[in-house]
Amino acid sequence: MDTLKRYFRSPAAIVGLILLLLIIGMAISAGWIYPRDPLALAGRPLIWPFSNPRFLLGTDNSGRDIAAQIFHGARIALLIGGAATVIAILIGVLIGAFAGYFGGWVDTVLMRITEAFQTLPNFVLLLVLVAVFGSTLTTVTIAVGIVSWPAPARLTRAEFLSLRNREFVQAGRTLGMKDLQLILGEILPNALPPVIVYASVVMAVAILLESALAFLRLSDPNVASWGNLIGLGRDVLRVQWYVAAIPGIAILITVLAVSLVGQGLNDALNPRLKGR
């Protein structure tokens, strides 16, 4: 209850939560409001927004309803963002927890692996993975998760390093608890809050990475994603700029909402801010 009170003290966090709920509502209601295939031809190509009541946001180069693609694209954005975040956090927490708890050669080996992944920029490594394994929606989601785990791993490691010698951990060792019990039952629950907060950053970056892939036409072309629509709109950017601008605004609002929610969670879960 105190955590919720601290969260709702921030107007920015409330705005972010409202925006995120609206986007989730779009994703849930997409099949009801636009039951047809969003990639099916719906009308004359390049109808400007609000010029035809049947197509509130206009049509794209091929005559497909942009509003339908925006609503269905919300599903893809949240699916890729959420699933990739789960993958990245799971890998990062696993590696960071073992590195921070055991230290020594275990820490050295795992951190060298982490540094190897960070040698290349995320997007370059993502391009390599997509080029090798294909550009289906599942492949792209897994690839985004794989390139996003090093930062959560370092954060988890730092938390474990600061917690592994605390009194409650020493007490657990005295009582005969095994290492895995201490990691999962004692240290991890105390190390998770900052990792949960950072998950919002991972999700925002995951949405941007998928959109960048789709813009380059390297993502799955058979789904109605915002990035695919932006990539399609670049061919008519000089005259029908709205085709790229509308999904771009949708991405901007989604990333902003996730970031504001993450900031609100940081204010609510950060023990140093509890007295403020």
Side-chain angles (χ1 to χ4, degrees), residues 215 230 232-245:
F215 178 77
I230 293 177
L232 189 65
R234 71 179 178 182
D235 296 331
V236 291
L237 190 60
R238 290 179 179 272
V239 285
Q240 276 84 21
W241 51 266
Y242 66 88
V243 178

Side-chain angles (χ1 to χ4, degrees), residues 148-221:
S148 302
W149 67 263
R154 286 189 171 278
L155 178 60
T156 305
R157 172 181 175 270
E159 291 295 317
F160 267 72
L161 287 174
S162 66
L163 292 171
R164 65 180 183 179
N165 292 319
R166 293 284 181 87
E167 290 79 3
F168 65 92
V169 179
Q170 298 290 353
R173 290 197 183 99
T174 303
L175 293 173
M177 296 179 68
K178 296 182 179 179
D179 290 333
L180 194 59
Q181 290 178 307
L182 290 172
I183 291 173
L184 298 179
E186 300 297 327
I187 304 178
L188 185 58
N190 292 280
L192 272 182
V195 178
I196 293 173
V197 171
Y198 191 77
S200 64
V201 177
V202 177
M203 183 172 181
V205 173
I207 294 173
L208 291 174
L209 286 175
E210 189 280 330
S211 299
L213 276 181
F215 178 77
L216 296 175
R217 295 174 182 170
L218 294 174
S219 186
D220 193 337

Side-chain angles (χ1 to χ4, degrees), residues 22-35 38 56-57 65-78 224-226 229 246 250:
L22 287 175
I23 295 164
I24 294 174
M26 288 172 55
I28 294 174
S29 63
W32 174 62
I33 298 177
Y34 296 100
L56 290 179
L57 298 181
D65 190 350
I66 291 179
Q69 294 182 70
I70 293 296
F71 270 73
H72 284 269
R75 291 180 171 181
I76 303 301
L78 294 176
S225 77
W226 295 337
L229 188 54
I246 293 174

